Amino acid sequence: MSERFDVVVIGAGASGLMCAAEAGKRGRKVLVLDHAKKPGRKILISGGGRCNFSNYDVSPSNFICQNPHFVKSALSQYTNWDFISMVSKHEIEFEEREHGQLFCVDSAKQIVQMLLDECDLNFIEFRYQVGVTDIESISAGYSLLANGSKVECESLVIATGGLSMPKLGATPFGYQVAEQFGLDIVSTTAGLVPFTLHKQDKIDFSELSGIAIPAEICAEDGTTFKEALLFTHRGLSGPSVLQVSSYWRAGQKVTINLVPEADVKELLLQSREKHPNQSLKNTLSKVLPKRLIEVLIERKQLTDKPLKQLNHKEYDQVAETLEGWQIVPNGTEGYRTAEVTLGGVDTKHLSSKNMECKAFPGLFFIGEVMDVTGWLGGYNFSWCWSSGFVAGQKA
C-alpha cells in the first residue's frame, strides 16, 4: 500500500521550505522529507546564528554558474525585496551590515519559524529522520521509499543541498539522484572557504594568527574583492579570502594589495622628507601591523633600513611588494568549513523559469544542489528563496 501526494520535497532546508510553502499555497498536497531531526539546520547556524538571509543589492553578477544567464529568470520572478517583504510581514527585526548584508537582530530561528508559518499545514506534512531510497519514474510521476514505506507523487523536488558542512548532514544524495536520471554534474569543490598555506609559509605567518587587515585580493582570472583578510594558524581567511576562494583553482596564485587604503610610495616619500632617519619598518607600521612587516623582512621580501638610504627603485619595489603581494595557497580547508559547494547539477538540464528537469517532467532541482553558487553576503540564501519559489509555482 502506498501513500500519494501531489508533491514530495526532499530536503527541509532553505530552498525546500520555500518550495513547500509555495506549492501548499496553490492547494497542492505536499510531503517534506528530511534525514535530520529538524528543519533548516544550515539556516540556524548561518551568520553566527543571526542568518544573513539576503542583501539589499542582488544581481546575476553575484552568482557563479557555467551558464551565467541561467539565474536571471528566477531572480527576477522572486526578488530580494520580495523576501525582505516577507520578513517584514512576520515582524522580524533585521539590520543592515556592510555591503548591504541583512541579518536578523535576534535569531536565525525566526527565519526558520517564518518559513514554517508560511506552510499551510492543511496541505503540507513534514517528516524528519527519514531515509529516502529507490526513487523511480512511474507513469503517474515518481515513487520512492521513505524509511521503507512507499510514497508516490506527481512532482518530486530535490532540495538536498551540497557537500559543505558535513557535520550538518551534508551528503551527495542530490547528485546521485541526478546521475540516476542521466543528468550531468559540474565537478564540485568547496567554495567560500579559507586557504591553507604551504609548510614554510604556514610557519612564517602562523604567529600572525588573529590579525586582520583591510585588503584587496585578486584571483588569476582577474576577479577582485576588497574586504578584510584574516591570518589564521592554518593560513588565510576573512571575507576577502572566502570570496576569492570560489574563483581560485589548485596551483594558482592570489595577488593581494595589503594596503588598499594607502599609496605606499607617496607615504614613503612624504615620510622621508620629515623623518629621513626613520626606518622602513617603523614607517610602514603606520599602515600595517608591525609584526606583519617584520615577517616580510624576515622572508627577505622587504629590506629594513633608514628611508634616506632607499633609492627610487627601492621605493618602487616596496610599493610593488605590498600592493601586489603574491602567494600560492596550498589548498583550502575543504568542505568541513566551506559555506557552499561550487558546481552541482548542470543547469543545461533544467528550465531557468521553474527549475524543472527538461527530460523528466515533474522532477525539480533547487538550491545549492545545482550549479549555482552565490557570493558571500546573503546571496546563496537569495538563490534558495528564488529557486524554491519558482519551483513551488509549478511543482
Side-chain angles (χ1 to χ4, degrees):
M1 187 71 181
S2 65
E3 293 181 275
R4 181 82 192 174
F5 291 85
D6 296 321
V7 185
V8 170
V9 178
I10 304 178
S15 62
L17 292 174
M18 190 71 176
C19 178
E22 291 305 312
K25 290 172 187 175
R26 294 170 46 232
R28 300 283 277 168
K29 187 181 178 188
V30 183
L31 174 63
V32 181
L33 303 173
D34 200 293
H35 64 78
K37 292 180 180 178
K38 58 184 181 181
R41 292 183 73 190
K42 204 166 179 182
I43 299 173
L44 293 171
I45 63 112
S46 67
R50 297 283 177 85
C51 187
N52 179 194
F53 60 81
S54 192
N55 196 293
Y56 273 140
D57 181 21
V58 177
S59 74
S61 63
N62 301 123
F63 297 87
I64 303 167
C65 178
Q66 281 203 340
N67 174 5
H69 301 291
F70 180 83
V71 300
K72 292 179 178 177
S73 178
L75 291 175
S76 64
Q77 288 181 69
Y78 190 83
T79 71
N80 50 327
W81 297 105
D82 292 319
F83 193 80
I84 292 165
S85 295
M86 184 192 292
V87 171
S88 298
K89 183 184 82 175
H90 285 260
E91 298 182 345
I92 297 172
E93 192 177 352
F94 63 91
E95 64 184 6
E96 179 186 4
R97 298 187 191 171
E98 57 195 6
H99 307 293
Q101 300 173 61
L102 302 177
F103 288 77
C104 297
V105 170
D106 183 17
S107 168
K109 293 176 183 176
Q110 293 173 292
I111 299 296
V112 175
Q113 190 57 52
M114 175 189 76
L115 293 167
L116 294 173
D117 289 345
E118 286 284 318
C119 291
D120 186 337
L121 297 184
N122 291 315
F123 296 98
I124 304 170
E125 182 179 341
F126 292 87
R127 295 180 194 170
Y128 302 106
Q129 293 181 286
V130 174
V132 175
T133 57
D134 298 287
I135 295 174
E136 293 179 7
S137 175
I138 58 175
S139 59
Y142 298 88
S143 72
L144 54 88
L145 294 182
N147 281 355
S149 298
K150 192 168 186 180
V151 176
E152 294 183 351
C153 57
E154 183 183 340
S155 295
L156 178 62
V157 182
I158 308 300
T160 49
L163 299 173
S164 54
M165 300 188 184
K167 279 186 178 178
L168 294 183
T171 74
F173 179 89
Y175 310 137
Q176 291 163 357
V177 174
E179 287 172 335
Q180 176 190 331
F181 285 93
L183 310 187
D184 296 317
I185 304 295
V186 176
S187 60
T188 58
T189 55
L192 299 182
V193 62
F195 286 137
T196 57
L197 296 178
H198 288 282
K199 186 177 180 180
Q200 189 57 52
D201 293 334
K202 183 179 173 183
I203 292 169
D204 291 348
F205 292 106
S206 62
E207 61 189 278
L208 301 177
S209 180
I211 292 177
I213 60 170
E216 191 171 73
I217 184 165
C218 183
E220 282 197 9
D221 71 354
T223 305
T224 303
F225 294 95
K226 187 177 179 181
E227 292 189 64
L229 177 150
L230 173 69
F231 290 92
T232 73
H233 61 281
R234 287 187 294 271
L236 302 175
S237 188
S240 64
V241 170
L242 298 186
Q243 294 279 38
V244 87
S245 72
S246 293
Y247 294 85
W248 176 83
R249 297 295 173 265
Q252 293 183 341
K253 67 179 182 294
V254 290
T255 303
I256 304 171
N257 184 347
L258 298 169
V259 280
E261 309 299 337
D263 183 321
V264 172
K265 188 173 182 181
E266 190 64 30
L267 168 71
L268 295 177
L269 291 173
Q270 289 180 0
S271 297
R272 176 176 173 160
E273 282 184 24
K274 297 175 184 175
H275 310 287
N277 292 313
Q278 190 175 66
S279 68
L280 177 67
K281 181 173 79 173
N282 288 340
T283 304
L284 293 177
S285 66
K286 296 172 185 174
V287 291
L288 282 171
K290 183 174 279 190
R291 191 67 201 105
L292 171 56
I293 301 160
E294 289 171 349
V295 170
L296 293 175
I297 291 169
E298 288 163 13
R299 286 165 62 92
K300 297 185 168 45
Q301 290 180 282
L302 294 174
T303 303
D304 190 29
K305 51 184 169 181
L307 296 180
K308 66 182 181 183
Q309 291 183 18
L310 292 169
N311 59 40
H312 279 282
K313 184 181 179 183
E314 288 173 313
Y315 281 123
D316 288 334
Q317 288 172 342
V318 172
E320 286 170 16
T321 297
L322 297 181
E323 293 172 2
W325 184 59
Q326 294 186 338
I327 194 159
V328 178
N330 182 42
T332 73
E333 292 192 4
Y335 293 117
R336 183 180 62 82
T337 57
E339 296 199 16
V340 292
T341 304
L342 292 158
V345 179
D346 196 325
T347 58
K348 71 184 180 185
H349 300 295
L350 308 175
S351 162
S352 63
K353 291 184 173 65
N354 52 38
M355 309 298 129
E356 187 174 25
C357 185
K358 295 172 183 176
F360 294 93
L363 179 62
F364 298 77
F365 291 85
I366 59 174
E368 193 183 342
V369 73
M370 58 207 297
D371 174 37
V372 175
T373 305
W375 288 4
L376 186 74
Y379 299 103
N380 287 290
F381 278 133
S382 290
W383 178 246
C384 287
W385 314 140
S386 294
S387 62
F389 176 89
V390 297
Q393 305 306 305
K394 176 76 190 293

